[in-house]
Amino acid sequence: MNAIINDIEVIKTKSSKISEVDFSNLKFGNTFSDHMLVCDYKNGKWQAPKVVPYQPISLDPSAKIFHYGQSVFEGMKAYKDANENVWLFRPLDNFKRLNISSKRLAIPELPENYFMDGLKTLLQVDSNWIPKDEGSSLYIRPFVFASGNGFHASPADEYKFIIATAPSGAYFSGKVRVLIEQKYSRSANGGVGFAKAGGNYAGQFYPTQLAVEKGYQQVIWTDDNTHEYIEEAGAMNIFVRINDTLITGPTSDRILDGITRKSIIQLAESEGIPVEVRKLSVHEVVAAAKDGSLKEMFGAGTAAVISPIAGFGYKDEDYDLPELEDTYAAHLKKRITDIQTNKTDDPFGWRYEVKS
């Protein structure tokens, strides 16, 4: 069945999979909704986007994504409130960052209306796929990759923009233990660390496997030059609480400008929590752990929102963080998720309603 919604062609699936899904037992990112948005770049411009049934993609073996890694993505979520209204969280920030990432990888930038109207249309078509259980959401994955063919080492002449969605439960459960990395680097000055490029994450997998073999769940990345400064936690930004001050590193060529990160900073400052955005040395963190002033560490990102860290390892020594009753992590996560799910006022204008 074909339709036009928000000026976008919609080709609906002949048979929905939704009756096969156990919404009370959703793993993160393993179940996929009925439809996806597809938009092709060819002949020097982006073609009209359309919503189609979720399906495999056919590519030539010489497609440049396989050889030169031109690929960027975003991570977003859609929520339903008690009245079945659908909400997004700072979607224009995701759109802008997707184009920042695309530009760095020589991928043509997307028009805003293609992204926003395409996303809204997809969510309207697959509204029934948005979970309502506490902690669940519809995870949204916009991505762009080089679909043009050829073995020549140069940017492709064709690209594909897709938005796929996955009803998901909580990303992490419980606290994690992390290992401060002393050898490998996530990114370097002048590189693509600030972009959400697929290759950034591929390069993290091997060092993370090594950390897992030592009994940790994630890696704390340090600077590429000296490995003296804390930068990110796994695939997330990192926050450290020393006494009552919340500290996070400044964005740079190496550090992603996380949307959850920005939200935490603004929210904490609005509530009078002291926040410092500055370089944070491993030595300072270790010293704070030893003298008892290190109160909390947590990762921040779209998937987990906030993921508390129970302890860290450094130079063959482990450090445990204290068990606090009232944590910044728990408080800030609740404040953000309450805004996202329309359970409280949104003084910052972050919430975006997808109207049917």
Side-chain angles (χ1 to χ4, degrees):
M1 178 178 134
N2 291 16
I4 300 294
I5 303 175
N6 298 323
D7 296 325
I8 292 174
E9 181 183 5
V10 175
I11 303 171
K12 290 191 176 180
T13 183
K14 294 179 180 178
S15 178
S16 174
K17 308 183 298 286
I18 198 166
S19 62
E20 304 168 11
V21 177
D22 180 2
F23 278 83
S24 64
N25 186 31
L26 290 169
K27 293 183 179 179
F28 182 85
N30 278 13
T31 302
F32 304 99
S33 312
D34 280 332
H35 299 89
M36 63 185 190
L37 181 88
V38 178
C39 183
D40 290 307
Y41 180 91
K42 55 187 178 181
N43 301 322
K45 65 177 182 179
W46 286 103
Q47 309 299 304
K50 58 184 177 181
V51 171
V52 300
Y54 185 89
Q55 60 192 276
I57 303 165
S58 178
L59 292 172
D60 192 281
S62 69
K64 292 199 173 186
I65 178 58
F66 300 135
H67 308 280
Y68 304 113
Q70 275 185 291
S71 173
V72 297
F73 71 96
E74 278 296 317
M76 311 170 66
K77 288 180 179 178
Y79 308 85
K80 266 188 181 172
D81 64 20
N83 296 316
E84 300 280 316
N85 297 313
V86 176
W87 301 92
L88 294 166
F89 185 72
R90 306 186 71 165
L92 284 172
D93 288 313
N94 290 101
F95 162 71
K96 291 172 184 176
R97 191 172 63 185
L98 185 70
N99 273 347
I100 289 170
S101 299
S102 293
K103 185 175 182 179
R104 180 61 181 84
L105 270 73
I107 295 172
E109 296 173 50
L110 277 159
E112 181 180 318
N113 63 315
Y114 279 27
F115 183 95
M116 290 301 299
D117 291 345
L119 175 56
K120 287 186 289 186
T121 303
L122 180 62
L123 293 178
Q124 288 164 357
V125 171
D126 276 349
S127 174
N128 290 338
W129 283 88
I130 304 173
K132 291 174 283 188
D133 291 349
E134 190 75 24
S136 297
S137 61
L138 185 71
Y139 185 77
I140 302 167
R141 173 54 59 86
F143 59 105
V144 188
F145 64 91
S147 56
N149 303 332
F151 291 146
H152 189 269
S154 61
D157 58 359
E158 294 186 1
Y159 298 85
K160 194 174 287 286
F161 166 54
I162 293 176
I163 304 178
T165 64
S168 298
Y171 189 64
F172 288 121
S173 58
K175 294 184 177 182
V176 299
R177 300 189 68 84
V178 298
L179 179 65
I180 296 179
E181 183 57 51
Q182 302 172 62
K183 177 181 178 181
Y184 296 100
S185 298
R186 177 188 171 274
S187 58
N189 289 328
V192 296
F194 68 92
K196 282 191 75 71
N200 288 348
Y201 298 81
Q204 295 184 34
F205 294 156
Y206 176 65
T208 303
Q209 284 179 346
L210 297 180
V212 169
E213 290 170 5
K214 295 178 181 179
Y216 303 93
Q217 285 79 49
Q218 277 294 348
V219 167
I220 295 290
W221 300 105
T222 51
D223 69 286
D224 64 304
N225 187 28
T226 65
H227 294 288
E228 292 179 3
Y229 294 95
I230 298 289
E231 293 203 332
E232 292 202 350
M236 298 179 288
N237 295 116
I238 186 168
F239 285 81
V240 175
R241 175 184 173 186
I242 297 178
N243 291 318
D244 290 332
T245 301
L246 200 56
I247 307 166
T248 192
T251 56
S252 67
D253 287 349
R254 303 183 308 277
I255 298 178
L256 185 72
D257 186 12
I259 293 164
T260 306
R261 171 190 176 276
K262 290 191 289 190
S263 304
I264 289 171
I265 292 170
Q266 191 172 350
L267 184 58
E269 289 176 338
S270 74
E271 297 197 0
I273 295 173
V275 178
E276 294 180 2
V277 180
R278 62 171 174 83
K279 293 175 72 173
L280 177 65
S281 71
V282 177
H283 173 77
E284 183 179 355
V285 173
V286 171
K290 288 179 177 178
D291 69 20
S293 60
L294 179 63
K295 305 301 183 185
E296 293 182 68
M297 297 173 66
F298 55 85
T302 297
V305 184
I306 288 177
S307 180
I309 293 170
F312 67 91
Y314 179 66
K315 290 187 175 180
D316 298 321
E317 192 167 347
D318 284 323
Y319 301 86
D320 293 321
L321 274 78
E323 291 281 347
L324 304 179
E325 286 189 13
D326 298 315
T327 64
Y328 286 174
H331 173 71
L332 293 169
K333 181 172 184 176
K334 186 177 188 308
R335 288 283 285 114
I336 288 175
T337 55
D338 281 354
I339 290 173
Q340 290 171 332
T341 54
N342 196 31
K343 293 177 181 174
T344 188
D345 292 338
D346 175 17
F348 309 101
W350 292 337
R351 199 165 50 220
Y352 182 99
E353 185 175 6
V354 179
K355 298 180 179 178
S356 58

